Amino acid sequence: PPVVVEPDLPLVVSITRLSDTQVQVTWEAIAGRQYSVESSTNLVDWTPSDETITPEGTTGSWTTTSSEGDSFFRVIIPPMTP
């Protein structure tokens, strides 16, 4: 899938199809910061993943089951909760 870069979003390093049903998204991260991955089929409507990822190093990654051929992914920094 193509990589779409938006200002103020983490830089996605790669999107890799691991198998017919698995996709892995990898991005540049700050250790300890929380990230979330969103997916879309049209680049307009975005669906958040069910988990928040907190990398321990400078690279974050997230793997999902995706059978849709035309899926797009982006990584966001979710709002801080009090």
Side-chain angles (χ1 to χ4, degrees):
V3 174
V4 177
V5 177
E6 292 188 25
D8 301 322
L9 294 179
L11 177 63
V12 172
V13 176
S14 67
I15 299 174
T16 307
R17 182 161 291 281
L18 301 176
S19 69
D20 288 343
T21 59
Q22 282 195 314
V23 174
Q24 183 177 56
V25 179
T26 305
W27 64 93
E28 291 180 358
I30 296 173
R33 177 172 277 176
Q34 293 185 337
Y35 298 88
S36 181
V37 178
E38 296 181 336
S39 62
S40 174
T41 57
N42 60 14
L43 294 173
V44 175
D45 303 306
W46 293 92
T47 304
S49 64
D50 292 334
E51 62 185 298
T52 300
I53 301 100
T54 307
E56 294 181 9
T58 58
T59 302
S61 68
W62 174 79
T63 303
T64 187
T65 301
S66 174
S67 58
E68 297 180 32
D70 293 331
S71 290
F72 301 92
F73 300 94
R74 70 181 180 186
V75 179
I76 65 164
I77 299 169
M80 303 263 312
T81 54

